[in-house]
């Protein structure tokens, strides 16, 4: 099963792009803090690219902005 739930902060405002067949898409970068400190006593942050489609992309662009905490539920897809 390929499910993931991420909670983090947006690094930029979501912007809608329309592609083939009038599909809407936005790509956001989610800053997700790790829940443990590294050897230097600092919490590290992972920056994860998330692609949002159609109605979810519309909602993200309308209701969120840089720095907002959001939750994303989806699947992981690795691109080569």
């Amino acid at each position: 099963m390929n499910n993931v739930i991420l909670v983090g902060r947006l690094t930029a405002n979501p912007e809608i792009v329309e592609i083939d067949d009038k599909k809407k898409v936005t790509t956001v970068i989610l800053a997700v803090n790790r829940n443990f400190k590294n050897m230097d006593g600092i919490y590290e942050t992972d920056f994860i690219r998330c692609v949002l489609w159609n109605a979810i992309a519309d909602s993200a662009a309308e209701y969120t902005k840089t720095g907002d905490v959001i939750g994303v539920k989806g699947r992981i897809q690795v691109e080569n």
Side-chain angles (χ1 to χ4, degrees):
M1 192 177 315
N2 185 357
N3 288 317
V4 64
I5 298 172
L6 300 168
V7 177
R9 293 189 179 273
L10 290 175
T11 62
N13 292 333
E15 295 183 20
I16 296 286
V17 176
E18 286 193 26
I19 58 172
D20 307 335
D21 303 329
K22 297 186 180 181
K23 292 181 182 176
K24 295 180 182 178
V25 64
T26 186
T27 301
V28 297
I29 306 295
L30 202 58
V32 179
N33 290 329
R34 295 185 183 176
N35 61 355
F36 57 89
K37 294 179 182 180
N38 64 14
M39 297 288 280
D40 299 323
I42 299 171
Y43 288 103
E44 294 181 0
T45 303
D46 294 303
F47 295 90
I48 302 169
R49 186 174 76 110
C50 301
V51 180
L52 310 176
W53 292 91
N54 298 321
I56 296 172
D58 281 336
S59 295
E62 185 174 348
Y63 297 110
T64 65
K65 63 184 181 314
T66 303
D68 285 352
V69 175
I70 66 166
V72 175
K73 179 181 176 184
R75 64 183 172 87
I76 293 180
Q77 180 176 336
V78 178
E79 297 177 2
N80 293 333

